[in-house]
Amino acid sequence: MKLSLRALKLKTRMVLILGLIALLQTGSIGLFALYYLNQSLDEQIGERALHVAKGIAAMPQMIESVGQGDSENLQPLSKLLAERTQASFVVFGDLRGHRLTHPNPELIGLSMMSDDDDDTAPTLVHGRSQVTKAEGSMGWSMRARTPMYDHTGEEVIGLVSVGYTLDRVEATIARYRTTLILVILAAFVVSVLTAIWFANHFKQAIFGLEPEQIGRLFQERIATLESVREGIIAINADGRITTINRAAIETLGLDEDRTLTGRPISEVLPDSQMLDVLRSGEPQFDREVWLADRNLIVNRVPLKQDEKITGVVSSFRRKDELDLVSRKLTRIQQYADTLRSQSHEYSNKLHTIAGLIQIGADDEALALIGQETRSHQELIRLLLAAVPDPILSGCLLGKYNRAREMGLKLLIDPDSHMTELPDRLPREQLVSIIGNLIDNALEATLAHTGTNGEVRLSMTDLGDDLIFEIEDQGAGVPDDQQERIFEKGVTSKSAQGHGLGLHLVKGLLQRLGGTITLEPGDPADENPASRGSRFTVYIPKQPVRHTAAVDKPQG
């Protein structure tokens, strides 16, 4: 039966099930109604028979005839009384319980107990009236038996029994049974029509899908939600969570053992703005937010049905994951630039040395080789002593070579000290911060000062912070741009494609809990136009959650 039902369409199943339910309900109600009707009719007929019997027992003529045992006079009177009261029979009995009258004259004089063993003692001896349903000489009947007293009303002289055969009851019930069957059929037809309407409406609401298809789609939905790397949370119109996948739980650091479905989003994520979208109905795309101590890129879209907001779906992903590819590409580009710079520079040096050797200037060739070796050896010794971290020192070496390729000098303060880099500090983020600041300084210096310009870098890890100072000989940052220089797209350069480096630096520092200050360069320089700018970066050694601050120029 189960398999056969599955083979049917949802509409057919709903019509059959609802129709059967209606048939069972109306059938049960009909059977109960017939049973109750039968009991009620029996009770009413019994009360009527008792009322008629008591009325006859109080008639003086009947009392006198019964007292005399006058069967000849009572027989025609009993038939007349039965006709007038529409009773099946009216039977009189004497004090011994023998019949004085009966529709069948052959039974006159016989005991009333001869056909159904009905005891007449309660009536004749104790004077009690009785209403019984029994099968007598005339078949099944509802009969009432009451005592008859003499004229003084003190002594029982006999009894009168009035009965109504149940064939009339069956006829009455049969009429009602026909009516109930018609009502049941009508209710079944109405239920089928209602089931058809409801099935059509239900099918429309579920887009014409079958239950098995819905179940399969639900399983696919669960599998899809668990397979995507983005966190997904959905809430209903009451602000309660209806859907949350494992990626969301892991990304937000929530307790995997707690049941989150059904809980208010304000309780699980107090800082979430999904409730704002639920109230306003305005979607939010690519919002960068801090949520549960994590920097996320969030999309929030309201769910609408008939122009009514029924919920909100939010998808999010950690910003560092989205930036990972960009950072890797940046590092690859930096490595490529470093190799290209070194290759170009050494190619020029080798050509020069080759030329000196060819013209016989051996001493000059050796001097050039020694000078080049000393310059690199000094830088390498400085980096090995001051910056033992290979990633940071490699970045600085690459920027040094790039500066030489551009005709500039990258001067690293010999008193620099950066040996206490904490393990929790992501090296790629540190390299991106320092690399972007040095690149900006080199470009600003070249654009304003030209070749032979200098960019200075000093580092220290004394105290609770890592401090980096990058000073250039550029044109400086105009006053009207100093508060906006770290915004995306804001730059003092005229060429397109700029305005991203400092914005990236600010975002990375924000993630590390660091700060950056901007101020004019060397104050001892009498020419303000050549002072340039000094960027100072502070990165706490211990993790601290706060928004990266950008201070105004000092002094």
Side-chain angles (χ1 to χ4, degrees):
M1 185 65 180
K2 185 177 180 180
L3 294 177
S4 61
L5 281 177
R6 286 182 174 273
L8 298 176
K9 296 292 185 181
L10 175 62
K11 181 177 179 179
T12 306
R13 275 186 270 180
M14 294 183 68
V15 170
L16 288 176
I17 293 174
L18 292 179
L20 289 174
I21 291 175
L23 187 60
L24 289 174
Q25 288 179 338
T26 53
S28 300
I29 294 173
L31 292 175
F32 174 78
L34 289 174
Y35 173 79
Y36 183 76
L37 176 62
N38 187 34
Q39 296 296 321
S40 298
L41 288 175
D42 286 349
E43 184 178 349
Q44 291 177 11
I45 293 173
E47 291 179 355
R48 181 180 178 182
L50 181 61
H51 178 73
V52 171
K54 287 183 177 181
I56 295 174
M59 297 173 66
Q61 183 180 359
M62 302 300 132
I63 293 173
E64 183 178 354
S65 299
V66 171
Q68 297 175 358
D70 189 359
S71 296
E72 294 181 1
N73 186 37
L74 288 174
Q75 180 69 6
L77 289 176
S78 65
K79 292 182 178 180
L80 179 62
L81 289 172
E83 291 176 359
R84 288 185 177 182
T85 59
Q86 297 181 346
S88 299
F89 60 86
V90 175
V91 176
F92 292 94
D94 59 16
L95 188 59
R96 297 176 300 169
H98 291 177
R99 297 186 183 94
L100 297 175
T101 64
H102 196 275
N104 184 3
E106 295 179 357
L107 298 179
I108 296 175
L110 298 179
S111 174
M112 290 183 172
M113 298 176 61
S114 62
D115 55 353
D116 58 356
D117 296 327
D118 192 6
D119 189 7
T120 59
T123 303
L124 295 175
V125 177
H126 303 289
R128 292 201 302 265
S129 298
Q130 289 181 304
V131 177
T132 59
K133 180 179 181 180
E135 185 178 11
S137 60
M138 298 184 64
W140 282 96
S141 63
M142 286 295 299
R143 61 191 180 186
R145 186 177 291 166
T146 189
M148 295 184 67
Y149 292 89
D150 59 10
H151 292 291
T152 64
E154 296 179 357
E155 184 179 352
V156 177
I157 60 174
L159 60 81
V160 60
S161 178
V162 178
Y164 292 85
T165 56
L166 295 182
D167 53 352
R168 295 183 181 180
V169 176
E170 291 297 328
T172 303
I173 294 177
R175 291 198 305 272
Y176 283 103
R177 185 184 295 114
T178 303
T179 303
L180 285 174
I181 291 175
L182 293 176
V183 171
I184 291 172
L185 292 176
F188 177 73
V189 172
V190 171
S191 299
V192 170
L193 294 176
T194 303
I196 293 174
W197 172 83
F198 180 75
N200 290 331
H201 177 75
F202 188 74
K203 287 280 287 185
Q204 183 179 4
I206 61 175
F207 305 101
L209 298 174
E210 295 295 322
E212 292 75 15
Q213 293 175 313
I214 295 176
R216 187 164 53 252
L217 288 175
F218 181 74
Q219 293 177 341
E220 291 177 359
R221 167 184 171 273
I222 294 176
T224 301
L225 288 176
E226 296 302 330
S227 65
V228 297
R229 296 185 61 186
E230 286 194 352
I232 297 176
I233 299 178
I235 62 174
N236 58 16
D238 297 327
R240 294 184 176 274
I241 297 175
T242 57
T243 300
I244 182 169
N245 66 349
R246 182 172 297 276
I249 295 175
E250 294 176 351
T251 301
L252 299 176
L254 301 176
D255 188 357
E256 297 183 4
D257 297 330
R258 296 184 62 185
T259 301
L260 301 177
T261 304
R263 296 179 58 190
I265 187 67
S266 57
E267 178 183 329
V268 178
L269 298 172
D271 299 330
S272 175
Q273 298 180 9
M274 295 180 69
L275 294 178
D276 296 337
V277 177
L278 187 63
R279 287 188 289 266
S280 65
E282 296 295 329
Q284 299 176 356
F285 298 103
D286 298 330
R287 297 290 182 91
E288 182 177 348
V289 299
W290 280 93
L291 194 62
D293 200 25
R294 289 166 174 80
N295 191 206
L296 307 174
I297 300 297
V298 182
N299 296 305
R300 306 182 183 96
V301 180
L303 299 175
K304 294 183 179 181
Q305 185 175 8
D306 298 330
E307 300 303 322
K308 181 180 179 181
I309 300 176
T310 59
V312 177
V313 175
S314 175
S315 62
F316 51 89
R317 195 166 183 177
R318 295 186 61 167
K319 187 176 184 296
D320 52 1
E321 292 183 5
L322 296 176
D323 291 338
L324 181 59
V325 175
S326 175
R327 291 198 302 269
K328 286 183 177 179
L329 291 175
T330 300
R331 291 178 61 183
I332 292 174
Q333 184 178 3
Q334 290 175 348
Y335 294 151
D337 291 343
T338 299
L339 293 175
R340 181 172 56 84
S341 299
Q342 291 178 342
S343 174
H344 187 269
E345 181 181 3
Y346 282 114
S347 178
N348 291 333
K349 297 295 184 180
L350 289 175
H351 289 161
T352 302
I353 293 172
L356 291 173
I357 293 175
Q358 288 178 357
I359 64 176
D362 297 338
D363 295 336
E364 287 78 0
L366 291 174
L368 182 58
I369 293 173
Q371 179 183 356
E372 188 67 23
T373 301
R374 285 192 300 274
S375 176
H376 276 79
Q377 288 299 324
E378 290 176 0
L379 176 62
I380 291 174
R381 282 196 297 270
L382 173 61
L383 293 177
L384 288 175
V387 189
D389 186 86
I391 296 179
L392 179 58
S393 60
C395 172
L396 296 179
L397 182 60
K399 298 304 179 184
Y400 174 85
N401 291 327
R402 186 185 178 200
R404 294 189 61 179
E405 182 187 31
M406 297 171 66
L408 304 174
K409 295 180 181 180
L410 174 60
L411 303 179
I412 300 177
D413 189 345
D415 295 329
S416 294
H417 192 268
M418 190 59 61
T419 60
E420 297 183 6
L421 289 177
D423 294 334
R424 64 99 188 169
L425 182 64
R427 297 302 189 264
E428 66 275 6
Q429 296 183 17
L430 179 62
V431 166
S432 295
I433 294 171
I434 303 305
N436 274 287
L437 291 175
I438 292 176
D439 287 341
N440 283 349
L442 292 174
E443 293 176 3
T445 300
L446 182 63
H448 183 70
T449 306
T451 56
N452 296 322
E454 296 179 353
V455 173
R456 299 180 180 273
L457 169 65
S458 64
M459 303 170 287
T460 180
D461 55 8
L462 298 178
D464 296 331
D465 296 326
L466 307 177
I467 303 174
F468 298 84
E469 285 189 359
I470 296 94
E471 183 177 346
D472 61 50
Q473 292 181 344
V477 179
D479 294 339
D480 59 346
Q481 292 188 7
Q482 288 182 356
E483 294 187 3
R484 300 179 57 246
I485 193 65
F486 291 93
E487 296 180 9
K488 187 176 183 178
V490 177
T491 180
S492 59
K493 305 179 182 67
S494 58
Q496 296 182 352
H498 294 281
L500 299 177
L502 292 180
H503 174 72
L504 177 61
V505 168
K506 177 185 175 182
L508 293 173
L509 285 173
Q510 188 177 37
R511 193 173 305 143
L512 299 175
T515 59
I516 182 171
T517 63
L518 168 61
E519 56 186 352
D522 187 3
D525 194 332
E526 297 180 356
N527 183 10
S530 62
R531 287 183 182 178
S533 300
R534 181 188 296 122
F535 291 87
T536 305
V537 173
Y538 301 88
I539 302 175
K541 295 179 181 178
Q542 299 298 325
V544 178
R545 183 191 173 190
H546 59 81
T547 302
V550 180
D551 297 339
K552 293 183 179 181
Q554 305 291 324

